Amino acid sequence: MSIVVVKYFLDKRDYRIYKHPIISFKRGRRVRFYYGDTVVEAYEGESVLAALYAIGYRVFSYSSKLGRPRGAFCMIGKCSSCFSYIDGVPYRRICIEPVSDGIHVEVRKGVPEIPHSSSLEEIPSEEIETDLLVIGGGPAGLHAALTASEYGVDVVVVDEGLRLGGQLVKQTHKFFGSREYYCGIRGFEIASMLEKKLLEKPGIHVYRQTSVYGYFRGGVVGAVKRGSSPRNLVIKPRAIVGATGAIERGLTFENNDLPGVMGAGGAQTLMNQYGVRPGEKALIVGSGNVGLIVSYQLLQAGVGVEAIVEIMPRIGGWFVHAAKIRRLGVPIILRHTITRVAGRECVEKAIVQAVDENWKPIPGSEKEYNVDLVLLAVGLQPDTRLFSQAGCVMKWIPELGGLVPLRTRFLETSVENLYIAGDAAGIEEATTAFIEGEIAGLSVAIKLGCAGRAAIEKREKLLDFLWNIYRRSPVVERARVGKEKATISEEEMKKIRKQFNG
């Protein structure tokens, strides 16, 4: 086997960001791992995918049937685009697997064979009993854990990522709103503050790099802890708060699976968490707040933004974000959509077209952009897979992004003692995730008998603020309508539980 040491680049370019107007990237010590027959140098704290992306790799797997190349898409372990072998084990999501010395990573081609049980290394199991299990370490999960802990509730937090904070980790803009909910503080700074506060609490036990794989009879939850000492966790909580977040939506157009077509949040993770430029020139699809904010962040990272295309006749995001982009010379093209990308193994150009009143592309209106990156900022859908598997009664609510569990105003689902908060409960934004996390944490503490009248009064104040003040703003009307459809009374929930659970 021939070995080539790659120090800083594969394709004569280094995609790491060394100067940034806001973030100072503190990289860990250098480590070496194998990618096929190549030795790659990376930095401790990077994911395998980020380290490979930084030196020019763009193809990380191939589709099982047609052998088409697959690239990075979500970067948070919620899709299958980066499935690879690590030390011979298939189906490892390298976007959430950290680099470490000596590991062997290989591209997946075709459907891997199921290993014989005799060849599998058995990992130990650990049983954990706790008052509250919080699934997800984003804004809702962190606030739920901290709030419940204040009342003496013993809490276990599990999260798939390399660090806590969820989407906050990659947000570089300053938050709006009230001081109580971090007005004027950047998202990644909020994540660091909350993580520090969480780790200082003696009653909170944190398991990073941990994936929940099932909810079982009696409320038992199964999870796998990855990393240097992998374990199978059998968790027996008295209550659960599911704060599993959201999944980025795709979009149908020709060659939409080419590497270089990526979720906008995936690009944020590369740029703002790992300090890696996701491309040279980008086209953004979608002019909501995510599309506008990510466009600005691309420019901060040294990536050219050719245009933002929007199928609607108006910009979807806030004026303040759109104004910044326009001042920097980025055109926002309304009533246009992407219809095709072209390239051999990666995106080389993108074609957009104007649409008519029926949203159909108009022949002859094609515009071509020479880009290597197409970012989809076309919305999110709640990640409610665990709630469906647990047997929650679900409802399709377009205003919330798709299928969500019915819940009471105290955020308890039809599965008793299983609560929901944040984007998993329906797509809103960070402030409502913080508040819902607090409400869920208080609800658990009250139901478990750990909190009294003061906690009940605090919960009522939060509910009043959320429903009668915050959600009355015209800019969040759609989400408010959706949450009203998903929220039912305690009496209705009792009837549902009796109907479905006997």
Side-chain angles (χ1 to χ4, degrees):
M1 179 175 69
S2 62
I3 298 295
V4 179
V5 177
V6 181
K7 289 188 177 179
Y8 301 108
F9 51 79
L10 176 75
D11 63 354
K12 307 297 184 188
R13 283 173 289 183
D14 182 2
Y15 287 88
R16 286 191 176 88
I17 302 166
Y18 296 100
K19 290 185 179 180
H20 193 280
I22 293 171
I23 309 171
S24 175
F25 297 107
K26 296 177 181 178
R27 297 182 170 91
R29 68 179 181 87
R30 286 186 181 173
V31 299
R32 288 182 176 181
F33 67 94
Y34 296 89
Y35 193 54
D37 62 354
T38 300
V39 176
V40 177
E41 283 195 353
Y43 292 94
E44 197 172 52
E46 292 179 332
S47 71
V48 171
L49 192 150
L52 294 171
Y53 209 101
I55 57 174
Y57 284 100
R58 295 294 178 268
V59 178
F60 302 105
S61 67
Y62 291 87
S63 64
S64 299
K65 288 187 177 180
L66 301 179
R68 290 174 64 86
R70 294 285 184 263
F73 185 78
C74 78
M75 287 297 299
I76 55 172
K78 292 184 182 287
C79 72
S80 59
S81 291
C82 66
F83 273 162
S84 301
Y85 292 86
I86 297 182
D87 291 336
V89 179
Y91 295 121
R92 302 287 290 274
R93 291 178 170 91
I94 59 172
C95 67
I96 57 172
E97 292 288 347
V99 297
S100 60
D101 279 315
I103 60 171
H104 289 253
V105 183
E106 294 180 82
V107 173
R108 184 195 72 171
K109 289 188 178 181
V111 178
E113 293 183 7
I114 299 174
H116 296 292
S117 59
S118 59
S119 67
L120 293 174
E121 185 178 336
E122 190 171 323
I123 65 171
S125 287
E126 177 183 346
E127 285 196 8
I128 301 169
E129 292 190 8
T130 185
D131 293 329
L132 171 61
L133 169 64
V134 176
I135 304 171
L142 295 179
H143 265 243
L146 288 167
T147 301
S149 178
E150 289 175 10
Y151 297 90
V153 175
D154 186 68
V155 182
V156 168
V157 178
V158 299
D159 187 80
E160 285 191 316
L162 302 183
R163 59 166 296 191
L164 298 177
Q167 301 306 301
L168 295 172
V169 170
K170 52 194 176 188
Q171 302 297 342
T172 61
H173 62 283
K174 293 182 179 179
F175 276 46
F176 302 128
S178 66
R179 289 185 180 179
E180 187 177 0
Y181 294 106
Y182 314 107
C183 176
I185 304 175
R186 302 186 191 278
F188 69 92
E189 295 172 333
I190 299 170
S192 295
M193 289 165 50
L194 290 174
E195 183 175 41
K196 183 175 184 293
K197 194 173 179 181
L198 200 80
L199 296 176
E200 289 173 349
K201 287 272 188 179
I204 300 178
H205 316 278
V206 177
Y207 292 82
R208 298 186 191 85
Q209 291 183 251
T210 302
S211 302
V212 169
Y213 59 78
Y215 177 98
F216 301 99
R217 187 176 299 169
V220 176
V221 171
V224 171
K225 172 79 171 70
R226 306 185 309 279
S228 56
S229 57
R231 280 163 288 163
N232 179 55
L233 305 180
V234 180
I235 308 172
K236 300 177 179 178
R238 297 172 67 194
I240 300 168
V241 173
T244 48
I247 302 169
E248 291 198 87
R249 290 188 182 278
L251 193 64
T252 302
F253 54 89
E254 187 178 342
N255 289 327
N256 67 346
D257 60 342
L258 267 182
V261 177
M262 189 185 301
Q268 279 186 309
T269 299
L270 277 170
M271 286 187 297
N272 301 338
Q273 183 173 349
Y274 296 115
V276 175
R277 286 183 296 118
E280 300 284 352
K281 291 183 179 180
L283 177 77
I284 315 300
V285 183
S287 71
N289 282 329
V290 171
L292 298 172
I293 289 169
V294 171
S295 297
Y296 188 70
Q297 292 174 355
L298 286 166
L299 295 169
Q300 289 177 316
V303 179
V305 179
E306 296 296 289
I308 300 172
V309 297
E310 169 60 60
I311 198 169
M312 298 296 286
R314 61 189 177 278
I315 294 171
W318 293 348
F319 173 79
V320 63
H321 298 312
K324 283 198 300 186
I325 290 298
R326 281 179 158 162
R327 281 198 301 270
L328 292 169
V330 176
I332 303 175
I333 306 170
L334 303 177
R335 297 199 68 89
H336 279 69
T337 190
I338 186 166
T339 54
R340 182 167 66 94
V341 296
R344 297 180 68 182
E345 284 211 325
C346 299
V347 171
E348 295 172 18
K349 63 181 178 180
I351 294 85
V352 305
Q353 287 181 255
V355 297
D356 60 22
E357 62 276 6
N358 297 313
W359 317 110
K360 301 295 185 184
I362 299 171
S365 64
E366 293 86 352
K367 294 183 176 73
E368 188 175 295
Y369 293 91
N370 293 317
V371 296
D372 63 340
L373 183 64
V374 173
L375 296 187
L376 304 182
V378 293
L380 303 169
Q381 64 185 60
D383 185 357
T384 55
R385 293 169 292 179
L386 182 68
F387 296 93
S388 294
Q389 187 262 321
C392 294
V393 175
M394 312 289 284
K395 185 176 182 179
W396 182 269
I397 301 179
E399 293 90 344
L400 298 183
L403 197 65
V404 295
L406 294 178
R407 79 297 303 260
T408 68
R409 64 196 292 262
F410 303 136
L411 301 178
E412 190 174 14
T413 68
S414 61
V415 174
E416 199 167 0
N417 297 320
L418 175 56
Y419 296 77
I420 190 167
D423 275 351
I427 306 304
E428 286 190 86
E429 42 73 58
T431 299
T432 53
F434 292 136
I435 297 170
E436 285 193 338
E438 288 185 44
I439 293 168
L442 286 165
S443 296
V444 169
I446 292 164
K447 189 164 187 182
L448 296 184
C450 301
R453 179 163 298 278
I456 293 171
E457 291 174 356
K458 182 178 180 181
R459 183 175 64 179
E460 286 302 317
K461 286 181 181 178
L462 284 170
L463 286 164
D464 180 64
F465 173 74
L466 181 61
W467 283 102
N468 299 322
I469 299 175
Y470 195 86
R471 283 184 177 147
R472 290 296 164 183
S473 169
V475 297
V476 296
E477 181 181 4
R478 178 178 171 83
R480 176 180 58 79
V481 170
K483 288 293 173 84
E484 287 172 349
K485 291 180 180 179
T487 304
I488 62 175
S489 69
E490 292 282 317
E491 289 303 312
E492 288 177 292
M493 187 61 82
K494 286 178 183 177
K495 291 177 183 177
I496 285 175
R497 286 180 183 145
K498 188 174 181 180
Q499 178 184 354
F500 287 92
N501 302 324

